[in-house]
Amino acid sequence: IGVEAVGVFFYNYLVSNLVSIVADPSRYSFISKFQRVYSAFKSRDVTNESMGELMQYYEYVWERDRDRAEFYETASKLPEELQRKLAYQLYEDIFEKVTAFQGISREVLEQIALSLIPRIFTPGDFLIKAGRISNRMYFINEGKVGIMNSNGIIVGHCNGLIGSVIGEESVINGTPEPMSSIAETYVEAFELLKD
């Protein structure tokens, strides 16, 4: 009875995985890519703790990014004028929250929208460090970012719910960052380089 119970569990597990792979070939592609990365790290004796973090990251990326990657690939094949128009509409609410973008023509904002780079930060990653002049700003889409003073104490938070922008003043004015910004959770952001 015990062997049968275990057998039924594994049979159900196998069938459900096969169905999900057949129903979603992109999941299979994602899993095979992850397995190659996992094998490469494991063969170099990376710790189990780090491997666990790697697995969490890949799971997060899969849950959040599976449709978006396909969207960006498809969008890149559209005519440039249509790409600019769609990109602007996607980021219009972000542009409204950036002081430096107020009064800029829609044409320029469309070009900026095409230059945004999607980024994911894991907990503990620094987006910006105090004392440095930033050459990039971040538009926080989702997640929680801690604002840290020079003593390493968190003095505030920002998140994607209110459309936070980090690094804007340093990029535009060329002044050093007064505070550091560190990801407290997984953070989705859009990066805009000063260039």
Side-chain angles (χ1 to χ4, degrees):
I1 291 172
V3 169
E4 265 186 43
V6 171
V8 167
F9 169 76
F10 280 112
Y11 176 76
N12 286 339
Y13 178 75
L14 177 66
V15 168
S16 68
N17 275 337
L18 286 174
V19 167
S20 69
I21 287 169
V22 170
D24 189 357
S26 63
R27 173 76 172 177
Y28 174 73
S29 168
F30 185 84
I31 287 172
S32 63
K33 188 186 298 182
F34 168 74
Q35 286 173 335
R36 286 194 302 273
V37 170
Y38 184 91
S39 298
F41 281 113
K42 198 66 178 164
S43 68
R44 289 174 174 81
D45 296 326
V46 174
T47 65
N48 287 335
E49 183 183 340
S50 295
M51 294 307 293
E53 289 179 24
L54 176 67
M55 288 170 55
Q56 283 179 331
Y57 174 76
Y58 264 82
E59 188 60 35
Y60 178 85
V61 169
W62 167 254
E63 289 301 321
R64 300 289 183 185
D65 215 34
R66 57 181 156 189
D67 298 326
R68 193 176 303 159
E70 218 171 280
F71 166 77
Y72 284 121
E73 185 181 331
T74 304
S76 68
K77 297 173 184 167
L78 295 171
E80 191 176 333
E81 189 174 322
L82 183 55
Q83 281 184 42
R84 283 199 312 269
K85 183 178 179 182
L86 291 173
Y88 173 79
Q89 290 174 359
L90 281 173
Y91 305 123
E92 187 174 10
D93 58 333
I94 292 173
F95 293 149
E96 289 172 2
K97 296 177 177 118
V98 180
T99 308
F101 291 162
Q102 305 308 311
I104 292 180
S105 72
R106 180 181 170 130
E107 204 173 81
V108 172
L109 290 175
E110 285 177 356
Q111 204 59 41
I112 291 171
L114 285 176
S115 303
L116 292 176
I117 304 163
R119 295 282 311 270
I120 295 177
F121 295 92
T122 58
D125 287 346
F126 279 93
L127 283 75
I128 288 175
K129 291 193 176 181
R132 297 182 180 172
I133 297 175
S134 294
N135 65 346
R136 62 197 71 210
M137 68 173 80
Y138 296 101
F139 306 97
I140 308 303
N141 187 44
E142 190 173 310
K144 187 176 179 184
V145 176
I147 308 302
M148 185 184 292
N149 67 16
S150 57
N151 297 325
I153 298 169
I154 303 284
V155 294
H157 301 279
C158 59
N159 59 46
L161 299 175
I162 55 171
S164 301
V165 180
I166 296 174
E168 174 187 7
E169 193 173 319
S170 180
V171 168
I172 293 166
N173 299 329
T175 56
E177 289 288 347
M179 305 269 193
S180 295
S181 303
I182 187 168
E184 295 186 329
T185 62
Y186 280 101
V187 172
E188 285 186 31
F190 295 100
E191 179 182 78
L192 180 63
L193 300 175
K194 184 170 185 171
D195 296 341

